[in-house]
Amino acid sequence: MSLFFALSSCTVGSDSDREFIILPVEEVEMPPSYTVGNLSIIKIKYKRPTDCHIFNGFFTNYESSNIYNKVVAIRTVKLNNSNCLADESMFTVDYEFKPTEPGTYTFKFWLGPDANGTDQYETHEVEVL
């Protein structure tokens, strides 16, 4: 099951006028170094399909319940109305990362599915000292 399919159909509460939509990441800017206890900002760029998609944080999932392996995507709330306009604007948001333990962390930023429906990722391994 793809990440997009699993999360794109969830409604917010019982309201049918909005729903959670997971959007793919377009670009990632990783800081050059990381230190335990220090806050690092990862710049993430994404496009929203319409002006009815409003940024609502990040979808973050730990692979195999391992804090060293994170999957990250953009979470939006989509307002379901007929007044939505197409919007290909690029937006940049800050993902805050404050490691609590040293080691190698793997970030997998979700790029969306390929033509066969297989989820694609941009993967970054970072060493935390």
Side-chain angles (χ1 to χ4, degrees), residues 29-31 34 39-44 93-97:
E29 291 179 33
M30 303 289 288
Y34 303 86
L39 182 66
S40 296
I41 303 297
I42 300 170
K43 300 279 187 189
I44 300 176
V93 290
D94 292 345
Y95 180 80
E96 296 182 349
F97 173 56

Side-chain angles (χ1 to χ4, degrees), residues 12-129:
V12 178
S14 61
D15 295 340
S16 62
D17 62 337
R18 59 188 170 204
E19 60 187 312
F20 284 122
I21 301 288
I22 302 300
L23 296 179
V25 168
E26 295 288 328
E27 294 178 32
V28 178
E29 291 179 33
M30 303 289 288
S33 63
Y34 303 86
T35 305
V36 170
N38 288 349
L39 182 66
S40 296
I41 303 297
I42 300 170
K43 300 279 187 189
I44 300 176
K45 294 183 180 182
Y46 73 98
K47 291 181 183 177
R48 63 183 189 177
T50 72
D51 62 352
C52 290
H53 290 77
I54 300 166
F55 179 73
N56 188 247
F58 297 95
F59 168 82
T60 303
N61 189 28
Y62 296 99
E63 289 189 328
S64 305
S65 300
N66 182 340
I67 67 164
Y68 295 104
N69 298 314
K70 292 184 178 190
V71 175
V72 180
I74 301 295
R75 186 178 66 217
T76 63
V77 172
K78 180 181 179 276
L79 305 176
N80 293 325
N81 64 53
S82 60
N83 299 329
C84 299
L85 300 174
D87 183 2
E88 288 289 316
S89 300
M90 185 80 74
F91 293 88
T92 302
V93 290
D94 292 345
Y95 180 80
E96 296 182 349
F97 173 56
K98 187 174 184 179
T100 57
E101 298 180 25
T104 301
Y105 289 73
T106 302
F107 289 92
K108 292 174 67 175
F109 296 94
W110 186 63
L111 302 174
D114 64 12
N116 297 320
T118 303
D119 288 328
Q120 301 298 302
Y121 300 92
E122 179 177 329
T123 303
H124 292 267
E125 287 190 358
V126 298
E127 188 67 32
V128 175
L129 305 174

